[in-house]
Amino acid sequence: MTSCNTILLNGNLPESIQEAAKILNNKGLVAFPTETVYGLGANALDEEAAAKIYEAKGRPSDNPLIVHIADIDAVYTLASEVPENAVLLMEAFWPGPLTIILPKVGIVPDGTTGGLDTIAIRMPSHPVALELIRESGLYIAAPSANSSGRPSPTLASHVMEDMDGRIEAVIDGGAVGIGIESTIVDLTGDIPTILRPGFITKSMLEAIVGEVAIDPALVEPDPNLRPKAPGMKYTHYAPKGQLTIVEGHNGVAEKINSLAQEKASQGYTVAVITTRENASAYDCPYVLVAGERSHGETIAANLYAVLRQCDDLGCDYIYSEAFGDSELGGAIMNRLLKAAGHRVINV
Ligand code: TXA
Ligand code: MG
């Protein structure tokens, strides 16, 4: 790993975007804000530049990258086939938190697509991301800008925690809006299939293209089912302590309090993850409020920051409520269950 002096660029200044665009054109790495999470960008059509992303993140080389574009025309340059459903979804949701999978053309290096003959493409809506793509004149390959296995970054400071000294620059655009990664939809088969849930929900997609399927590997954790998005097989987003989800209609707080007290009495550092509505039910020293249960988008926006906070506090054990009840509940629980290694207690 080559080490470098990572510069923090102010996302409000046009000079910052110009500087970052120059770095990308010299095969360098720049982290930048998107509306979902911070991305770690490199020139998507340059194998050598894309390879640096894997090195900086410690990412398995079979896990392909998403290519970010600023103009729908780019899809016709990068994909060999653009079906009607793709046109409808791009028109409905771009720029925005939707990634589509299409068959790729030869100019897209295997290093960007993890050796797959398909490509993941997304047009982000964050103005800094769009300006950076336009100013650089490139297609930008960008995974989330965390070290592999850590929660995705929702602030420039999270990127610095993981990437300082490993990448040329971070553009600081403040806190991202959505907080969980884009919805991924595979459009290479007959029925559009969700490979990763996100802010764009199944019913929003169905309103545009009719029937939509969900990758069966997402529904049940089954070692025999291989997710179609290679990245979904890794235990992602995990805090260093052991996270357990406690779920049920009644008695969740009582159960969490008793589990937390037991661990605390053994000398461990313990945190509880809850919502504003329920926070007063806990008597643990670290009660972390992810958001408001009545507004699922606030939980999505804070979830990764709260998981990182557990690491900062040195937590050995973390107990979380389940947050499946909002429109975004499926996407939130997909991340939380992975962070917990599917450790769930039902009360
Ligand atoms: O919101 C987002 O999508 C963020 C921001 C930065 O745009 N990016 C992001 O990238 O989440 P990453 O690398 O953390 O996740 C990309 C996911 C992985 O699970 C990967 O396996 C999947 O997309 N993927 C990429 N190309 C694919 C392909 N051709 N077929 C199936 N899955 C693919
Ligand atoms: Mg990621």
PDB file of all heavy atoms in Angstrom, residues 270-295:
ATOM      1  N   VAL A 270     -21.261  -1.808  27.302  1.00  0.00           N
ATOM      2  CA  VAL A 270     -22.494  -2.206  26.629  1.00  0.00           C
ATOM      3  C   VAL A 270     -23.237  -0.973  26.118  1.00  0.00           C
ATOM      4  O   VAL A 270     -23.280   0.055  26.802  1.00  0.00           O
ATOM      5  CB  VAL A 270     -23.433  -2.974  27.601  1.00  0.00           C
ATOM      6  CG1 VAL A 270     -24.650  -3.508  26.866  1.00  0.00           C
ATOM      7  CG2 VAL A 270     -22.685  -4.110  28.284  1.00  0.00           C
ATOM      8  N   ALA A 271     -23.811  -1.065  24.914  1.00  0.00           N
ATOM      9  CA  ALA A 271     -24.667   0.023  24.403  1.00  0.00           C
ATOM     10  C   ALA A 271     -25.986  -0.550  23.907  1.00  0.00           C
ATOM     11  O   ALA A 271     -26.069  -1.721  23.527  1.00  0.00           O
ATOM     12  CB  ALA A 271     -23.968   0.766  23.271  1.00  0.00           C
ATOM     13  N   VAL A 272     -26.990   0.323  23.919  1.00  0.00           N
ATOM     14  CA  VAL A 272     -28.317  -0.027  23.405  1.00  0.00           C
ATOM     15  C   VAL A 272     -28.614   0.902  22.234  1.00  0.00           C
ATOM     16  O   VAL A 272     -28.343   2.106  22.313  1.00  0.00           O
ATOM     17  CB  VAL A 272     -29.383   0.161  24.509  1.00  0.00           C
ATOM     18  CG1 VAL A 272     -30.782  -0.026  23.942  1.00  0.00           C
ATOM     19  CG2 VAL A 272     -29.136  -0.793  25.665  1.00  0.00           C
ATOM     20  N   ILE A 273     -29.146   0.355  21.141  1.00  0.00           N
ATOM     21  CA  ILE A 273     -29.565   1.189  20.014  1.00  0.00           C
ATOM     22  C   ILE A 273     -31.094   1.201  19.975  1.00  0.00           C
ATOM     23  O   ILE A 273     -31.739   0.155  19.910  1.00  0.00           O
ATOM     24  CB  ILE A 273     -28.997   0.666  18.676  1.00  0.00           C
ATOM     25  CG1 ILE A 273     -27.463   0.605  18.731  1.00  0.00           C
ATOM     26  CG2 ILE A 273     -29.464   1.555  17.515  1.00  0.00           C
ATOM     27  CD1 ILE A 273     -26.809   0.040  17.471  1.00  0.00           C
ATOM     28  N   THR A 274     -31.653   2.410  20.040  1.00  0.00           N
ATOM     29  CA  THR A 274     -33.098   2.540  20.139  1.00  0.00           C
ATOM     30  C   THR A 274     -33.564   3.757  19.341  1.00  0.00           C
ATOM     31  O   THR A 274     -32.830   4.276  18.504  1.00  0.00           O
ATOM     32  CB  THR A 274     -33.510   2.643  21.628  1.00  0.00           C
ATOM     33  OG1 THR A 274     -34.927   2.806  21.724  1.00  0.00           O
ATOM     34  CG2 THR A 274     -32.849   3.821  22.320  1.00  0.00           C
ATOM     35  N   THR A 275     -34.798   4.170  19.578  1.00  0.00           N
ATOM     36  CA  THR A 275     -35.355   5.344  18.897  1.00  0.00           C
ATOM     37  C   THR A 275     -35.730   6.401  19.929  1.00  0.00           C
ATOM     38  O   THR A 275     -35.819   6.118  21.133  1.00  0.00           O
ATOM     39  CB  THR A 275     -36.634   4.964  18.133  1.00  0.00           C
ATOM     40  OG1 THR A 275     -37.527   4.345  19.051  1.00  0.00           O
ATOM     41  CG2 THR A 275     -36.328   4.032  16.985  1.00  0.00           C
ATOM     42  N   ARG A 276     -35.983   7.604  19.433  1.00  0.00           N
ATOM     43  CA  ARG A 276     -36.353   8.706  20.329  1.00  0.00           C
ATOM     44  C   ARG A 276     -37.577   8.318  21.167  1.00  0.00           C
ATOM     45  O   ARG A 276     -37.629   8.583  22.361  1.00  0.00           O
ATOM     46  CB  ARG A 276     -36.641   9.965  19.487  1.00  0.00           C
ATOM     47  CG  ARG A 276     -36.938  11.166  20.309  1.00  0.00           C
ATOM     48  CD  ARG A 276     -36.518  12.530  19.710  1.00  0.00           C
ATOM     49  NE  ARG A 276     -35.527  12.542  18.660  1.00  0.00           N
ATOM     50  CZ  ARG A 276     -34.210  12.582  18.852  1.00  0.00           C
ATOM     51  NH1 ARG A 276     -33.714  12.605  20.072  1.00  0.00           N
ATOM     52  NH2 ARG A 276     -33.395  12.592  17.826  1.00  0.00           N
ATOM     53  N   GLU A 277     -38.533   7.636  20.550  1.00  0.00           N
ATOM     54  CA  GLU A 277     -39.771   7.271  21.243  1.00  0.00           C
ATOM     55  C   GLU A 277     -39.499   6.372  22.453  1.00  0.00           C
ATOM     56  O   GLU A 277     -40.192   6.462  23.460  1.00  0.00           O
ATOM     57  CB  GLU A 277     -40.720   6.535  20.288  1.00  0.00           C
ATOM     58  CG  GLU A 277     -41.354   7.401  19.195  1.00  0.00           C
ATOM     59  CD  GLU A 277     -40.542   7.445  17.897  1.00  0.00           C
ATOM     60  OE1 GLU A 277     -39.308   7.217  17.950  1.00  0.00           O
ATOM     61  OE2 GLU A 277     -41.120   7.719  16.834  1.00  0.00           O
ATOM     62  N   ASN A 278     -38.493   5.477  22.337  1.00  0.00           N
ATOM     63  CA  ASN A 278     -38.299   4.445  23.364  1.00  0.00           C
ATOM     64  C   ASN A 278     -37.120   4.685  24.291  1.00  0.00           C
ATOM     65  O   ASN A 278     -36.901   3.910  25.219  1.00  0.00           O
ATOM     66  CB  ASN A 278     -38.079   3.074  22.693  1.00  0.00           C
ATOM     67  CG  ASN A 278     -39.300   2.621  21.921  1.00  0.00           C
ATOM     68  OD1 ASN A 278     -40.358   3.231  22.020  1.00  0.00           O
ATOM     69  ND2 ASN A 278     -39.159   1.554  21.158  1.00  0.00           N
ATOM     70  N   ALA A 279     -36.324   5.721  24.019  1.00  0.00           N
ATOM     71  CA  ALA A 279     -35.032   5.869  24.708  1.00  0.00           C
ATOM     72  C   ALA A 279     -35.166   5.845  26.235  1.00  0.00           C
ATOM     73  O   ALA A 279     -34.321   5.285  26.931  1.00  0.00           O
ATOM     74  CB  ALA A 279     -34.339   7.152  24.256  1.00  0.00           C
ATOM     75  N   SER A 280     -36.259   6.430  26.770  1.00  0.00           N
ATOM     76  CA  SER A 280     -36.361   6.541  28.229  1.00  0.00           C
ATOM     77  C   SER A 280     -36.621   5.190  28.896  1.00  0.00           C
ATOM     78  O   SER A 280     -36.550   5.084  30.122  1.00  0.00           O
ATOM     79  CB  SER A 280     -37.472   7.533  28.594  1.00  0.00           C
ATOM     80  OG  SER A 280     -38.708   7.005  28.137  1.00  0.00           O
ATOM     81  N   ALA A 281     -36.876   4.146  28.113  1.00  0.00           N
ATOM     82  CA  ALA A 281     -37.142   2.825  28.708  1.00  0.00           C
ATOM     83  C   ALA A 281     -35.861   2.099  29.136  1.00  0.00           C
ATOM     84  O   ALA A 281     -35.933   1.037  29.743  1.00  0.00           O
ATOM     85  CB  ALA A 281     -37.907   1.954  27.705  1.00  0.00           C
ATOM     86  N   TYR A 282     -34.680   2.679  28.815  1.00  0.00           N
ATOM     87  CA  TYR A 282     -33.431   1.955  29.063  1.00  0.00           C
ATOM     88  C   TYR A 282     -32.630   2.559  30.200  1.00  0.00           C
ATOM     89  O   TYR A 282     -32.564   3.778  30.348  1.00  0.00           O
ATOM     90  CB  TYR A 282     -32.587   1.927  27.782  1.00  0.00           C
ATOM     91  CG  TYR A 282     -33.299   1.154  26.696  1.00  0.00           C
ATOM     92  CD1 TYR A 282     -34.035   1.807  25.718  1.00  0.00           C
ATOM     93  CD2 TYR A 282     -33.306  -0.240  26.710  1.00  0.00           C
ATOM     94  CE1 TYR A 282     -34.741   1.103  24.757  1.00  0.00           C
ATOM     95  CE2 TYR A 282     -34.008  -0.964  25.764  1.00  0.00           C
ATOM     96  CZ  TYR A 282     -34.723  -0.296  24.790  1.00  0.00           C
ATOM     97  OH  TYR A 282     -35.426  -0.996  23.862  1.00  0.00           O
ATOM     98  N   ASP A 283     -32.008   1.686  31.006  1.00  0.00           N
ATOM     99  CA  ASP A 283     -31.160   2.215  32.070  1.00  0.00           C
ATOM    100  C   ASP A 283     -29.713   1.769  31.912  1.00  0.00           C
ATOM    101  O   ASP A 283     -29.028   1.457  32.862  1.00  0.00           O
ATOM    102  CB  ASP A 283     -31.729   1.856  33.453  1.00  0.00           C
ATOM    103  CG  ASP A 283     -32.049   0.387  33.581  1.00  0.00           C
ATOM    104  OD1 ASP A 283     -31.533  -0.396  32.752  1.00  0.00           O
ATOM    105  OD2 ASP A 283     -32.794   0.016  34.503  1.00  0.00           O
ATOM    106  N   CYS A 284     -29.260   1.769  30.670  1.00  0.00           N
ATOM    107  CA  CYS A 284     -27.895   1.400  30.338  1.00  0.00           C
ATOM    108  C   CYS A 284     -27.099   2.706  30.173  1.00  0.00           C
ATOM    109  O   CYS A 284     -27.674   3.722  29.773  1.00  0.00           O
ATOM    110  CB  CYS A 284     -27.986   0.653  29.012  1.00  0.00           C
ATOM    111  SG  CYS A 284     -26.454   0.115  28.325  1.00  0.00           S
ATOM    112  N   PRO A 285     -25.781   2.763  30.507  1.00  0.00           N
ATOM    113  CA  PRO A 285     -25.035   4.032  30.367  1.00  0.00           C
ATOM    114  C   PRO A 285     -25.024   4.567  28.930  1.00  0.00           C
ATOM    115  O   PRO A 285     -25.091   5.767  28.727  1.00  0.00           O
ATOM    116  CB  PRO A 285     -23.627   3.686  30.822  1.00  0.00           C
ATOM    117  CG  PRO A 285     -23.657   2.325  31.395  1.00  0.00           C
ATOM    118  CD  PRO A 285     -24.977   1.692  31.116  1.00  0.00           C
ATOM    119  N   TYR A 286     -24.916   3.702  27.927  1.00  0.00           N
ATOM    120  CA  TYR A 286     -24.876   4.181  26.544  1.00  0.00           C
ATOM    121  C   TYR A 286     -26.177   3.827  25.829  1.00  0.00           C
ATOM    122  O   TYR A 286     -26.375   2.690  25.399  1.00  0.00           O
ATOM    123  CB  TYR A 286     -23.698   3.575  25.782  1.00  0.00           C
ATOM    124  CG  TYR A 286     -22.353   4.004  26.336  1.00  0.00           C
ATOM    125  CD1 TYR A 286     -21.374   3.049  26.622  1.00  0.00           C
ATOM    126  CD2 TYR A 286     -22.069   5.348  26.556  1.00  0.00           C
ATOM    127  CE1 TYR A 286     -20.130   3.435  27.122  1.00  0.00           C
ATOM    128  CE2 TYR A 286     -20.831   5.736  27.073  1.00  0.00           C
ATOM    129  CZ  TYR A 286     -19.871   4.778  27.345  1.00  0.00           C
ATOM    130  OH  TYR A 286     -18.655   5.161  27.839  1.00  0.00           O
ATOM    131  N   VAL A 287     -27.062   4.810  25.746  1.00  0.00           N
ATOM    132  CA  VAL A 287     -28.320   4.624  25.014  1.00  0.00           C
ATOM    133  C   VAL A 287     -28.205   5.465  23.744  1.00  0.00           C
ATOM    134  O   VAL A 287     -28.187   6.700  23.805  1.00  0.00           O
ATOM    135  CB  VAL A 287     -29.532   5.052  25.867  1.00  0.00           C
ATOM    136  CG1 VAL A 287     -30.820   4.894  25.059  1.00  0.00           C
ATOM    137  CG2 VAL A 287     -29.604   4.214  27.145  1.00  0.00           C
ATOM    138  N   LEU A 288     -28.068   4.819  22.590  1.00  0.00           N
ATOM    139  CA  LEU A 288     -27.817   5.526  21.332  1.00  0.00           C
ATOM    140  C   LEU A 288     -29.114   5.604  20.540  1.00  0.00           C
ATOM    141  O   LEU A 288     -29.743   4.579  20.243  1.00  0.00           O
ATOM    142  CB  LEU A 288     -26.740   4.789  20.524  1.00  0.00           C
ATOM    143  CG  LEU A 288     -25.451   4.478  21.307  1.00  0.00           C
ATOM    144  CD1 LEU A 288     -24.455   3.739  20.410  1.00  0.00           C
ATOM    145  CD2 LEU A 288     -24.823   5.749  21.866  1.00  0.00           C
ATOM    146  N   VAL A 289     -29.514   6.825  20.209  1.00  0.00           N
ATOM    147  CA  VAL A 289     -30.775   7.043  19.496  1.00  0.00           C
ATOM    148  C   VAL A 289     -30.491   7.101  17.992  1.00  0.00           C
ATOM    149  O   VAL A 289     -29.794   7.995  17.518  1.00  0.00           O
ATOM    150  CB  VAL A 289     -31.447   8.343  19.987  1.00  0.00           C
ATOM    151  CG1 VAL A 289     -32.668   8.670  19.135  1.00  0.00           C
ATOM    152  CG2 VAL A 289     -31.840   8.204  21.451  1.00  0.00           C
ATOM    153  N   ALA A 290     -31.021   6.120  17.255  1.00  0.00           N
ATOM    154  CA  ALA A 290     -30.771   6.079  15.813  1.00  0.00           C
ATOM    155  C   ALA A 290     -31.662   7.063  15.065  1.00  0.00           C
ATOM    156  O   ALA A 290     -31.283   7.562  14.007  1.00  0.00           O
ATOM    157  CB  ALA A 290     -30.987   4.668  15.283  1.00  0.00           C
ATOM    158  N   GLY A 291     -32.849   7.335  15.592  1.00  0.00           N
ATOM    159  CA  GLY A 291     -33.759   8.248  14.898  1.00  0.00           C
ATOM    160  C   GLY A 291     -35.138   8.129  15.497  1.00  0.00           C
ATOM    161  O   GLY A 291     -35.286   7.699  16.648  1.00  0.00           O
ATOM    162  N   GLU A 292     -36.145   8.499  14.722  1.00  0.00           N
ATOM    163  CA  GLU A 292     -37.523   8.418  15.207  1.00  0.00           C
ATOM    164  C   GLU A 292     -38.231   7.260  14.528  1.00  0.00           C
ATOM    165  O   GLU A 292     -38.224   7.160  13.299  1.00  0.00           O
ATOM    166  CB  GLU A 292     -38.265   9.723  14.894  1.00  0.00           C
ATOM    167  CG  GLU A 292     -37.812  10.875  15.750  1.00  0.00           C
ATOM    168  CD  GLU A 292     -38.382  12.195  15.258  1.00  0.00           C
ATOM    169  OE1 GLU A 292     -39.559  12.211  14.837  1.00  0.00           O
ATOM    170  OE2 GLU A 292     -37.643  13.183  15.269  1.00  0.00           O
ATOM    171  N   ARG A 293     -38.839   6.411  15.333  1.00  0.00           N
ATOM    172  CA  ARG A 293     -39.543   5.244  14.801  1.00  0.00           C
ATOM    173  C   ARG A 293     -40.632   5.673  13.809  1.00  0.00           C
ATOM    174  O   ARG A 293     -40.873   5.007  12.810  1.00  0.00           O
ATOM    175  CB  ARG A 293     -40.160   4.457  15.966  1.00  0.00           C
ATOM    176  CG  ARG A 293     -40.664   3.082  15.611  1.00  0.00           C
ATOM    177  CD  ARG A 293     -40.860   2.251  16.848  1.00  0.00           C
ATOM    178  NE  ARG A 293     -39.598   1.747  17.367  1.00  0.00           N
ATOM    179  CZ  ARG A 293     -38.968   0.685  16.873  1.00  0.00           C
ATOM    180  NH1 ARG A 293     -39.470   0.012  15.878  1.00  0.00           N
ATOM    181  NH2 ARG A 293     -37.832   0.291  17.401  1.00  0.00           N
ATOM    182  N   SER A 294     -41.259   6.828  14.080  1.00  0.00           N
ATOM    183  CA  SER A 294     -42.338   7.288  13.208  1.00  0.00           C
ATOM    184  C   SER A 294     -41.812   7.887  11.904  1.00  0.00           C
ATOM    185  O   SER A 294     -42.589   8.162  10.996  1.00  0.00           O
ATOM    186  CB  SER A 294     -43.186   8.321  13.944  1.00  0.00           C
ATOM    187  OG  SER A 294     -42.335   9.315  14.491  1.00  0.00           O
ATOM    188  N   HIS A 295     -40.482   8.081  11.801  1.00  0.00           N
ATOM    189  CA  HIS A 295     -39.878   8.588  10.561  1.00  0.00           C
ATOM    190  C   HIS A 295     -38.671   7.709  10.214  1.00  0.00           C
ATOM    191  O   HIS A 295     -37.534   8.032  10.585  1.00  0.00           O
ATOM    192  CB  HIS A 295     -39.430  10.047  10.702  1.00  0.00           C
ATOM    193  CG  HIS A 295     -40.569  10.996  10.876  1.00  0.00           C
ATOM    194  ND1 HIS A 295     -40.986  11.452  12.105  1.00  0.00           N
ATOM    195  CD2 HIS A 295     -41.422  11.540   9.965  1.00  0.00           C
ATOM    196  CE1 HIS A 295     -42.035  12.248  11.938  1.00  0.00           C
ATOM    197  NE2 HIS A 295     -42.321  12.307  10.650  1.00  0.00           N
TER     198      HIS A 295
END
